[in-house]
Amino acid sequence: MDFVDYYKLLGINKTATSKDIKSAYRKLARKYHPDLNPNDKNSKKNFQQINEANEVLSDPVKRKKYDKYGKDWQHSEQFEKQNQNQYQNQYQQQHSGSGGSGFSEGQSAGDFSDFFESMFGGAGRSSRTRQTKFRGEDFNAELQLDLIDAYKTHQQTLTVNGKKIRITIPAGIENGQTIKIPGHGSQGINGGPNGDLYITFSIANHEVFKRLGNNLYASIDLNLYSAVLGGEIEIDTLNGKVKLKVKPETQNGTKVKLKGKGFPVYKKEGEFGDLLLTYTVKIPTNLTAKQKELFIDLSKL
């Protein structure tokens, strides 16, 4: 497999901060997302590689291994263990009076690939090595939803590592929440189990409704006449329209709670938060002469 430079792929340098990595990933993910390029095979491949690069570079531990071992970073623990064993064998041989070979202290990073080739797929590897199974690496991805998507349980099809998987997203998923999809990470080595896929959700607020926990907040315009005289208004919720009675002499900034009209509680069927409304009384403009006269008469009462 050809070596892919993750830094070059994301268009950043090795001194990039986590913020730089996140920004570069989001920009390229939007550009190459398969849903936006349904007939472009190159976009699909690029999107897969971008996710892989972000999964490694956004994790400080994985990034450190990648910087040290390059394309062989996933097998760094096996190399270091093998290296340690070689040193121990060499030490024992030297102190028992017999010669032997092992990794020298001056061994360069360029020797890593030769070691991994012999360990994981090259000629001359031992039967013991062939039987060693290693778990695949985990994948991390971010999925963006709007508030309406998160309001109802629904399914989405994702492309991960070139394969399409269909996931069910429960209603009430939280912004920043991460769920695990077992077995959809990197393929295991020598028959080892696959890694897992971790999806973190990024949920944007609605233009009208703001979500805090399971409650929703919104500001509702109320005309002066309804505020003074009271009446009935119709408002939108995420679950359709509802009629609401307005009390006479309602003041600007008055708050009203609609119980059970908020956001669904995650994985608790039938449970909802509340919808909290704040009335904004709108003063009428462009008054006619007659209307102004009536207001003047009211002010004298």
Side-chain angles (χ1 to χ4, degrees):
M1 181 182 294
D2 294 334
F3 174 64
V4 178
D5 187 329
Y6 291 152
Y7 290 102
K8 185 177 180 181
L9 189 67
L10 295 181
I12 56 178
N13 55 44
K14 288 190 175 183
T15 61
T17 64
S18 58
K19 184 177 180 180
D20 295 333
I21 294 169
K22 187 174 183 179
S23 176
Y25 164 70
R26 285 185 171 182
K27 181 179 179 181
L28 292 172
R30 284 193 294 268
K31 179 179 179 181
Y32 293 111
H33 198 288
D35 290 346
L36 301 178
N37 304 274
N39 300 317
D40 190 340
K41 292 183 178 179
N42 288 329
S43 289
K44 181 178 179 181
K45 180 181 178 182
N46 289 335
F47 185 73
Q48 176 185 341
Q49 290 181 333
I50 289 163
N51 273 304
E52 183 179 325
N54 177 65
E55 185 264 333
V56 174
L57 298 185
S58 62
D59 185 315
V61 176
K62 292 179 181 178
R63 182 180 181 182
K64 184 177 180 181
K65 292 180 182 179
Y66 176 78
D67 288 344
K68 184 176 181 180
Y69 296 102
K71 69 177 182 179
D72 299 314
W73 72 271
Q74 294 188 49
H75 308 304
S76 59
E77 292 180 4
Q78 287 76 42
F79 173 79
E80 289 170 356
K81 183 178 180 181
Q82 180 74 7
N83 200 8
Q84 184 180 16
N85 291 337
Q86 291 283 357
Y87 276 124
Q88 290 175 347
N89 292 337
Q90 185 180 31
Y91 177 84
Q92 291 172 356
Q93 289 172 354
Q94 287 175 346
H95 285 72
S96 64
S98 60
S101 61
F103 288 102
S104 67
E105 293 184 4
Q107 185 174 22
S108 68
D111 297 323
F112 296 160
S113 294
D114 294 336
F115 165 72
F116 287 118
E117 179 65 23
S118 64
M119 185 174 182
F120 295 109
R125 61 186 179 181
S126 67
S127 59
R128 180 179 177 182
T129 300
R130 284 198 301 269
Q131 295 171 358
T132 303
K133 297 180 180 181
F134 298 100
R135 182 180 181 276
E137 290 292 317
D138 294 331
F139 286 162
N140 292 282
E142 182 179 87
L143 182 60
Q144 296 182 351
L145 300 176
D146 59 37
L147 202 61
I148 295 177
D149 289 333
Y151 185 82
K152 294 182 179 180
T153 298
H154 67 286
Q155 292 186 326
Q156 285 202 23
T157 300
L158 308 177
T159 302
V160 179
N161 202 23
K163 298 179 181 179
K164 289 188 175 182
I165 61 172
R166 193 169 182 83
I167 65 172
T168 298
I169 303 173
I173 193 85
E174 290 274 0
N175 181 48
Q177 184 174 343
T178 299
I179 64 173
K180 181 176 77 172
I181 312 296
H184 285 280
S186 175
Q187 186 174 359
I189 299 171
N190 295 334
N194 292 349
D196 300 323
L197 169 64
Y198 290 88
I199 301 177
T200 300
F201 292 86
S202 176
I203 303 172
N205 270 312
H206 192 267
E207 61 226 14
V208 175
F209 301 100
K210 181 179 180 181
R211 178 188 181 190
L212 289 175
N214 295 317
N215 292 333
L216 293 174
Y217 296 80
S219 179
I220 301 297
D221 290 340
L222 190 65
N223 67 62
L224 180 63
Y225 313 107
S226 296
V228 173
L229 302 174
E232 188 176 75
I233 61 173
E234 188 174 67
I235 65 168
D236 290 316
T237 71
L238 289 182
N239 195 30
K241 296 181 180 294
V242 297
K243 290 183 178 180
L244 186 63
K245 290 184 177 180
V246 180
K247 294 180 180 179
E249 302 178 7
T250 294
Q251 301 297 306
N252 184 53
T254 296
K255 299 183 184 301
V256 178
K257 179 192 289 187
L258 300 185
K259 193 169 180 61
K261 292 297 182 180
F263 219 72
V265 180
Y266 183 69
K267 287 192 173 181
K268 290 188 177 180
E269 189 73 26
E271 291 190 29
F272 291 82
D274 301 325
L275 172 59
L276 294 99
L277 305 174
T278 300
Y279 286 133
T280 301
V281 179
K282 308 300 287 185
I283 303 300
T285 58
N286 301 319
L287 296 175
T288 65
K290 179 62 175 176
Q291 288 172 324
K292 290 180 181 179
E293 183 180 342
L294 290 172
F295 274 106
I296 292 172
D297 290 339
L298 283 172
S299 68
K300 293 178 181 180
L301 294 177

